[in-house]
Amino acid sequence: MDLNKYVQEVSLQDFGKEFRHQAVWNRRLRSTGGRFFPKDGHLDFNPKHLEEQGLEVFRKIVRHELCHYHLYFEKKGYRHGDRDFKQLLAAVDGLRYAPKLVETSKPSLIYSCQSCGQVYQRKRRIDLKKYRCGKCRGLLENNFIDHKRTSS
């Protein structure tokens, strides 16, 4: 898909205005579907949203970023809390928030208390010498296989 051409089409069809800058893919975006850069006017989009949610949801994300874009160049309120932004977003049926992506990050690490059995799930390791159970202050133990250390 030619992203720049698609964003230009959405801008003309849904806003009746031209998009005159660049739209680029950015896989590093984590918590957002897209970003608008007032400094140079370009837009970043997360391709994972298109892959996971489809074209209909992605179009609403594009509309959201185009609201920022057009309002900024019209010298109106282009930020999320501004009335102009909220009204235009509702008028073009854009998404207020990007839907959550399926998380493919680190596996959960599981720790349990040796005294009371309380279980804790974490994405990051914790120092077992430093931290104790929040319930009974007992010692914690890890209940996971460390693939990095056992592979050698």
Side-chain angles (χ1 to χ4, degrees):
M1 167 196 256
D2 182 4
L3 179 63
N4 215 45
K5 190 180 285 186
Y6 180 73
V7 172
Q8 288 170 348
E9 288 172 13
V10 172
S11 184
L12 281 173
Q13 291 170 4
D14 298 347
F15 293 85
K17 300 171 186 172
E18 279 187 49
F19 174 70
R20 297 179 180 171
H21 290 81
Q22 286 293 324
V24 293
W25 294 115
N26 185 348
R27 283 198 165 275
R28 292 183 318 270
L29 295 178
R30 292 271 178 237
S31 62
T32 181
R35 285 191 303 189
F36 164 61
F37 293 85
K39 193 172 186 176
D40 64 358
H42 89 275
L43 302 175
D44 273 5
F45 291 100
N46 188 343
K48 295 173 199 165
H49 281 281
L50 178 60
E51 294 161 8
E52 285 184 23
Q53 275 104 24
L55 194 59
E56 186 177 331
V57 172
F58 184 70
R59 185 178 183 108
K60 291 181 179 191
I61 293 170
V62 171
R63 289 178 189 150
H64 176 106
E65 298 310 321
L66 283 171
C67 286
H68 290 298
Y69 175 84
H70 289 302
L71 289 170
Y72 177 79
F73 288 110
E74 292 170 7
K75 298 191 180 350
K76 294 181 179 177
Y78 68 96
R79 294 188 173 99
H80 287 124
D82 296 336
R83 179 182 288 135
D84 293 330
F85 178 80
K86 289 178 181 178
Q87 289 173 345
L88 183 59
L89 190 65
V92 297
D93 188 32
L95 283 177
R96 185 89 168 99
Y97 303 102
K100 291 228 183 241
L101 292 169
V102 175
E103 198 166 313
T104 57
S105 64
K106 301 176 185 174
S108 291
L109 306 175
I110 300 169
Y111 297 91
S112 63
C113 176
Q114 293 175 353
S115 302
C116 69
Q118 175 71 31
V119 176
Y120 299 93
Q121 278 193 318
R122 297 286 180 266
K123 288 185 180 179
R124 292 179 148 191
R125 292 172 194 261
I126 58 173
D127 184 357
L128 298 177
K129 295 174 194 150
K130 186 176 178 183
Y131 293 97
R132 297 274 186 134
C133 175
K135 201 171 176 183
C136 73
R137 309 291 299 146
L139 292 174
L140 297 175
E141 63 183 354
N142 59 6
N143 297 332
F144 64 93
I145 299 169
D146 188 353
H147 295 291
K148 289 179 186 170
R149 292 190 184 177
T150 58
S151 62
S152 48

